[in-house]
Amino acid sequence: MVKINGTELDIVGKTLAEYLATTNYDIKRIAVERNGDIVPKAQYGISVLRDGDSIEVVSFVGGG
Amino acid sequence: MIPTKEQWLRALYERHGKERQNAFLSATVAVCGLGGLGSNIAIHLARAGIGKLILIDFDRVDITNLHRQQYKASQIGMYKTEALADNLREIAPYVELEAFTQRITQDNAIKLLASADIICEAFDDAERKAMLTDIVLTQLREKYLVAASGMAGLYDANSIKTRKITSKFYLCGDEESDVSDGIGLVSARVALCAAHQAIAVLRILAKQFEI
């Protein structure tokens, strides 16, 4: 199982890009933390989700 | 009368204590974007006696900025880097300032931010916030990033918070209120988020890493 923003999901073996494509996240407006590190955007397509991964997707909204 | 550097330092040591003040004085902090967040962050850090501030923004002061950004009506039309540097020198004349009047991009970010210990993301555009986060946390991995997301509208002040996402990444804001939803930006709430960012910077320098 992969934990994403606190929810356990059965998506082991998918890439991060494949998972994100099933969500409403706008890839240009997020950062993804995986087991304590930020995943480079250029690697979403080759980052394969493993059993036990803990992931947080952080969304940016406008204003400053 | 403007105090001497010795008088200024003595007053800072008296208020912050020697160890903490020395940590502030030896730090270089970059402020990326000098709007409502960045202008307020820079003023807080200058008052605290940060050693050096790197100020980066391509834009000029506009009349529509005055409701939340730390500029004066008399500064409309000036580059924000120059206007803010003037204001900071009036407040804290001995803080070292370096200003870059240019847009931060994928190509120049690493060079512009090379000498910073801590980087404050203070843009208003969500995609540019995410871009800078990606660059800093994956290519400048020894540096800290203090970013902001969600301070628009007139929602409850207590919904603005600071979260530690990784050992190098702090995020301030409510993470929801988006200015593109037409809810506007109110000075007090933007300044509150900027204060969260400034506190995160000062706590990192004081080696108080947990939230």
Side-chain angles (χ1 to χ4, degrees):
Chain A
M1 298 295 272
V2 177
K3 190 188 267 188
I4 299 198
N5 290 17
T7 304
E8 301 268 359
L9 295 174
D10 187 10
I11 50 174
V12 172
K14 282 191 178 188
T15 67
L16 186 53
E18 286 168 342
Y19 162 70
L20 290 169
T22 68
T23 71
N24 290 324
Y25 289 116
D26 178 346
I27 286 181
K28 291 192 198 125
R29 295 177 175 223
I30 59 171
V32 178
E33 175 267 334
R34 177 188 193 175
N35 305 329
D37 275 317
I38 296 299
V39 182
K41 265 192 205 304
Q43 292 180 13
Y44 288 2
I46 56 167
S47 295
V48 178
L49 301 172
R50 296 196 194 87
D51 192 32
D53 274 353
S54 179
I55 286 173
E56 177 170 2
V57 183
V58 174
S59 293
F60 287 98
V61 292
Chain B
M1 200 173 85
I2 294 173
T4 65
K5 185 166 186 183
E6 288 65 35
Q7 290 172 318
W8 177 72
L9 287 172
R10 201 177 313 131
L12 286 171
Y13 280 122
E14 194 178 300
R15 283 289 178 265
H16 294 147
K18 186 151 195 183
E19 190 182 347
R20 192 166 284 176
Q21 190 59 50
N22 281 337
F24 296 170
L25 285 165
S26 60
T28 296
V29 180
V31 182
C32 301
L34 304 178
L37 293 172
S39 61
N40 277 294
I41 293 167
I43 286 175
H44 286 303
L45 296 180
R47 285 194 192 281
I50 290 290
K52 179 177 171 182
L53 290 172
I54 300 172
L55 309 174
I56 313 172
D57 197 300
F58 65 90
D59 210 358
R60 291 176 189 268
V61 178
D62 183 80
I63 191 171
T64 59
N65 302 148
L66 294 183
H67 75 110
R68 74 180 193 284
Q69 304 185 16
Q70 293 290 346
Y71 302 103
K72 306 169 196 175
S74 61
Q75 294 178 313
I76 289 171
M78 289 178 71
Y79 282 115
K80 290 184 179 179
T81 43
E82 293 169 11
L84 187 60
D86 285 353
N87 296 345
L88 293 172
R89 283 192 197 99
E90 286 188 47
I91 292 167
Y94 304 108
V95 171
E96 188 184 343
L97 303 176
E98 185 173 21
F100 295 102
T101 304
Q102 54 187 283
R103 192 185 281 272
I104 299 176
T105 66
Q106 298 267 12
D107 298 324
N108 65 16
I110 289 173
K111 195 173 166 205
L112 290 174
L113 302 173
S115 65
D117 304 304
I118 302 177
I119 294 156
C120 295
E121 178 282 307
F123 296 148
D124 57 6
D125 180 79
E127 290 185 16
R128 299 195 71 232
K129 289 172 176 286
M131 175 205 78
L132 188 67
T133 300
D134 188 62
I135 293 171
V136 172
L137 293 171
T138 68
Q139 296 181 57
L140 298 169
R141 295 172 60 95
E142 77 286 4
K143 300 184 191 299
Y144 291 90
L145 179 73
V146 179
S149 177
M151 76 303 296
L154 193 53
Y155 299 108
D156 179 14
N158 292 336
S159 60
I160 304 257
K161 60 195 182 302
T162 301
R163 287 203 302 133
K164 186 177 179 184
I165 309 290
T166 74
S167 62
K168 300 286 188 183
F169 179 25
Y170 294 77
L171 184 64
C172 306
D174 64 23
E175 301 182 44
E176 286 181 27
S177 60
D178 190 336
V179 73
S180 67
D181 292 337
I183 51 181
L185 289 160
V186 176
S187 178
R189 202 157 186 271
V190 178
L192 179 62
C193 189
H196 269 260
Q197 290 182 273
I199 291 167
V201 169
L202 296 174
R203 284 180 57 83
I204 290 166
L205 295 175
K207 300 196 181 309
Q208 306 204 345
F209 298 109
E210 299 311 316
I211 299 300

